[in-house]
Each structure stands twice: as structure tokens, then as C-alpha cells.
Amino acid sequence: MGDGHAPGPSGREDVLGAGWESHRPAVFGVAYRLLGGVTDAEDVTQDVWLRAAGADLRDVGDPRAWLVTVAARRSYGILKSGLVRLPHPDAVHVTDGGGKAAAARKLIHGGERVAAVIVSVGRQWRPDRIDLAEVGGELALVFHREGRVYSVDTLQLTDGLITACRRVINPDKLPHV
């Protein structure tokens, strides 16, 4: 009868046993990069473990990818729900038009001004959709218009607050997003 541990009906032993420990840093890492805080990242990591413990994982081909995707979705959900305070009073906003698109020439300082710019530009551009994504290891707002990516705002987070927003509107850099 072996070691007394019969395989469970969900096939989750591989993920929750030694497999979980090998994937845990990736799960924590994506949550930390998106949320910017250890406490929030630990909470998401625990949520992912609980989700995996209750899931039928027999058909999951790549457990690491599945776990990281669950962590990213949970993190985005937290961000969307407003549980992360935005932005930091000393936040800064910078744009990159690359000489090919109109962009602000000066840095914008201050959380209220940064938030106002993000909202007002989003309203002016009237995007077809705005997606949350990870770009270059940072949370990003991806603005789509007329079937293409129009701009990307990467958000640097520290302790759940936006400390920097970098807007890329240079069309040469956007096809890669």
C-alpha cells in the first residue's frame, strides 16, 4: 500500500507537494511586482495555494504557468477593486513620444496631478479598451484604439502606491506590446 498517501481525485499532489515549493517564488514574484508590497503578495500567494488545493489539475500541462496566471489575475483583481491606493503624493509622470508622437516635454510631479493626467488623457483619447498587463516586469495600462495599441502606461508601485508612471506613445515601441 506504499506510503499511505493515495493519489487524490484532483491530481493536485504534484502542485501542492514539492512542485508547489518550486513554483512558489514565481507566484510570489508576479504578485509582488504587480502589487508592490510583501504583505499583499503573501496574501495572493496564499490565495493561489488555496485555489490550487481545490482545483482539478489533471489537465494542467504547465503547473507553473497556471499558478502564475492565477496570481496575476488575483493581483489585477485587487488593483481593480481599489484595495491598492493610487497614486503616491510624490509620484512622477513622464512620457516618451520618441519624436514621432506628441508627448509632454516636462515631468509631471505630484500624485493628484499624475492621477488627473492619466484620467484626462484617457478621456481625450477615447480608447476602445484599456487592459491591465505586465510590461517589462511592471503593471501597465494598455490603451487600444482603432484596433491597435495606442499607448502604454507602466506603473511603478511601492507599498501599493504608484510612485512613477511612464507613458510610451512612440509608435515604434508599441507593436511589441
Side-chain angles (χ1 to χ4, degrees), residues 98-110:
K100 299 194 177 197
R105 294 184 183 163
K106 295 182 180 180
L107 294 177
I108 297 168
H109 294 276

Side-chain angles (χ1 to χ4, degrees), residues 125 128-129 131 135 141-153 168-177:
W125 288 347
D128 300 328
R129 115 179 161 251
D131 293 331
V135 176
L141 301 171
V142 181
F143 294 82
H144 298 264
R145 195 167 82 184
E146 299 173 2
R148 67 178 182 88
V149 174
Y150 188 75
S151 78
V152 174
D153 289 359
V168 176
I169 55 177
N170 179 343
D172 293 341
K173 294 181 179 180
L174 296 175
H176 307 293
V177 177

Side-chain angles (χ1 to χ4, degrees), residues 19-121:
W20 166 253
E21 286 307 316
S22 69
H23 301 310
R24 188 183 191 289
V27 170
F28 176 85
V30 73
Y32 181 78
R33 284 191 309 278
L34 292 172
L35 298 173
V38 171
T39 303
D40 290 333
E42 290 285 353
D43 288 346
V44 167
T45 302
Q46 181 67 23
D47 289 348
V48 171
W49 185 88
L50 290 170
R51 171 99 187 266
D56 182 351
L57 303 175
R58 287 178 287 200
D59 295 328
V60 173
D62 185 348
R64 177 185 172 99
W66 186 87
L67 292 165
V68 167
T69 299
V70 172
R73 287 181 180 159
R74 177 68 182 120
S75 297
Y76 293 147
I78 289 169
L79 291 168
K80 284 181 181 179
S81 72
L83 294 175
V84 176
R85 301 173 316 272
L86 307 172
H88 189 278
D90 297 326
V92 63
H93 184 274
V94 62
T95 60
D96 172 13
K100 299 194 177 197
R105 294 184 183 163
K106 295 182 180 180
L107 294 177
I108 297 168
H109 294 276
E112 288 183 24
R113 292 184 70 207
V114 168
V117 166
I118 292 171
V119 170
S120 69
V121 170

